[in-house]
C-alpha cells in the first residue's frame, strides 16, 4: 500500500486517501438500506471510538510533528503549535456560528448558525456533518503536504495511518446522517445519497491543505496545528457529548480508549 502512494504526487496521495475516507462515510450511510434503526449502544460506542481516533490523530499525526519541526525555526518550539491550534478551534467556532446546521438527535429549535430555521431539517443535518468533515480532510492534506515538504518526522506511512484512522471514524458519521434523513421521510436512496454526500468535502479540503503547505512551507507547523485544533473542536463540541447523551457513558468511554489506542498504534507503528 505504501508503495502505491509513494509513486504519486502529494495531491494525488491526498485525494486517494480522502476518497477512502469518503467511501467509509458511504459505507456508514448504506446502513439505511438494511435497517430502520441502528442499536443506540452501537452508535454511542462508535462515536466514542471516533472521538478517541481523532484525539490521538490530533497529537501524534499533527501536533507532535508541528512541535518537532518548529524546534529549528525562528520561533519557540511551542509557538506555532499554540497559535495554530487555537486558530483551528476559532475557525470551527466561527463556522459553527455562521453556517446553518443541526446536530443529529437534536430538535429543530436547537439548530445553529445564521437563520437556521429557514432551512429544512434534512438540509441542516447534512450541513452539520459536512462542516465537521472539513478539518478531517484538511488534516489529511496537510499530512501529505508535510511529507512533500521534507519534514523529517512526516512519512507516507504516518499520513496513510491518519487516513485509515479518520476513515474508521467516518463510518458512524454516515449512519448518523442517513438514518435520521430516512426518519424525516426521505427515500432510502435519497437518504443514502445525502448521507455519503457529507463526505465529499474531505477531498476538496485535502487539496487545499496540500496546496497551502507546498506553496508556503514556512506555515507548515501552523497548518498542522490548525488542523489539530479544528479536529479537537469537533470532538469536544459534538462527538464526545453525542456519545454520552443516551446514558451509555461507560461503553462510550471504553470505546473512546480503544479508538485512541488503535490510532496511536497505527501512527507509531507506521510512522
Amino acid at each position: 500500500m505504501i508503495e502505491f502512494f509513494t509513486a504519486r504526487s502529494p495531491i494525488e496521495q491526498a485525494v486517494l486517501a480522502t476518497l477512502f475516507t469518503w467511501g467509509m462515510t458511504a459505507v456508514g450511510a448504506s446502513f439505511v438500506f438494511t435497517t430502520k434503526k441502528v442499536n443506540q449502544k452501537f452508535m454511542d460506542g462508535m462515536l466514542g471510538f471516533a472521538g478517541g481516533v481523532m484525539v490521538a490523530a490530533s497529537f501524534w499525526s499533527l501536533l507532535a510533528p508541528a512541535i518537532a519541526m518548529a524546534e529549528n525555526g525562528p520561533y519557540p518550539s511551542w509557538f506555532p503549535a499554540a497559535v495554530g491550534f487555537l486558530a483551528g478551534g476559532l475557525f470551527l467556532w466561527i463556522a459553527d456560528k455562521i453556517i446553518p446546521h443541526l446536530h443529529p438527535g437534536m430538535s429543530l429549535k436547537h439548530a445553529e448558525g445564521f437563520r437556521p430555521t429557514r432551512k429544512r431539517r434534512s438540509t441542516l443535518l447534512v450541513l452539520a456533518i459536512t462542516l465537521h468533515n472539513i478539518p478531517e480532510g484538511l488534516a489529511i492534506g496537510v499530512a501529505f503536504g508535510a511529507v512533500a515538504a521534507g519534514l523529517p518526522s512526516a512519512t507516507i506511512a504516518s499520513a496513510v495511518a491518519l487516513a485509515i484512522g479518520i476513515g474508521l471514524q467516518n463510518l458512524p458519521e454516515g449512519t448518523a446522517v442517513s438514518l435520521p434523513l430516512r426518519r424525516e421521510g426521505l427515500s432510502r436512496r435519497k437518504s443514502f445519497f445525502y448521507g455519503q454526500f457529507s463526505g465529499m468535502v474531505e477531498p476538496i479540503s485535502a487539496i487545499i491543505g496540500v496546496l497551502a503547505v507546498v506553496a508556503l512551507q514556512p506555515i507548515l507547523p501552523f497548518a498542522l496545528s490548525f488542523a489539530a485544533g479544528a479536529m479537537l473542536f469537533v470532538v469536544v463540541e459534538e462527538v464526545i457529548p453525542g456519545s454520552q447523551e443516551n446514558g451509555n457513558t461507560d461503553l462510550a468511554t471504553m470505546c473512546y480508549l480503544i479508538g485512541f489506542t488503535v490510532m496511536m498504534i497505527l501512527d507509531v507503528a507506521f510512522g
Side-chain angles (χ1 to χ4, degrees):
M1 178 186 293
I2 303 303
E3 291 77 12
F4 175 78
F5 278 90
T6 304
R8 285 163 173 77
S9 70
I11 291 180
E12 290 175 326
Q13 293 166 353
V15 169
L16 287 171
T18 46
L19 285 177
F20 164 74
T21 60
W22 183 5
M24 291 298 289
T25 304
V27 171
S30 69
F31 286 170
V32 74
F33 292 113
T34 60
T35 183
K36 293 182 179 179
K37 184 179 180 181
V38 173
N39 183 279
Q40 191 60 53
K41 287 186 176 181
F42 172 79
M43 284 301 299
D44 290 343
M46 288 299 292
L47 282 174
F49 180 88
V53 166
M54 293 173 75
V55 170
S58 295
F59 177 73
W60 269 281
S61 297
L62 301 170
L63 280 176
I67 294 171
M69 183 180 186
E71 289 178 352
N72 298 319
Y75 311 104
S77 59
W78 54 265
F79 182 77
V83 172
F85 184 80
L86 293 175
L90 181 63
F91 170 78
L92 257 291
W93 179 77
I94 293 173
D96 244 15
K97 299 301 180 185
I98 296 176
I99 300 175
H101 63 284
L102 177 66
H103 299 301
M106 297 292 186
S107 63
L108 192 57
K109 67 180 182 180
H110 293 112
E112 302 176 16
F114 182 69
R115 295 181 181 176
T117 54
R118 294 190 176 186
K119 301 283 186 181
R120 290 181 57 187
R121 178 182 171 87
S122 57
T123 303
L124 294 173
L125 286 169
V126 174
L127 286 174
I129 303 299
T130 301
L131 171 64
H132 290 170
N133 279 340
I134 292 174
E136 297 168 9
L138 184 64
I140 293 172
V142 170
F144 281 104
V147 177
L151 179 62
S153 58
T155 65
I156 290 290
S158 63
V160 171
L162 174 63
I164 292 173
I166 290 177
L168 291 174
Q169 67 89 32
N170 273 4
L171 192 146
E173 288 187 352
T175 306
V177 177
S178 62
L179 289 183
L181 291 179
R182 177 60 177 162
R183 290 196 291 269
E184 289 294 315
L186 273 68
S187 67
R188 294 182 187 274
R189 183 174 297 179
K190 285 187 176 180
S191 298
F192 167 76
F193 174 79
Y194 289 120
Q196 63 82 32
F197 181 81
S198 64
M200 186 182 70
V201 71
E202 292 193 3
I204 298 172
S205 54
I207 292 173
I208 294 173
V210 171
L211 292 176
V213 169
V214 172
L216 302 170
Q217 290 192 20
I219 73 166
L220 180 53
F222 293 94
L224 288 165
S225 305
F226 181 95
M231 287 227 301
L232 283 186
F233 181 93
V234 172
V235 173
V236 176
E237 198 260 353
E238 171 62 18
V239 177
I240 292 179
S243 72
Q244 303 277 331
E245 63 188 10
N246 296 295
N248 299 312
T249 55
D250 289 343
L251 173 65
T253 301
M254 291 306 299
C255 288
Y256 171 92
L257 295 176
I258 293 171
F260 186 97
T261 303
V262 168
M263 187 64 228
M264 177 179 65
I265 291 172
L266 283 173
D267 196 273
V268 174
F270 292 106

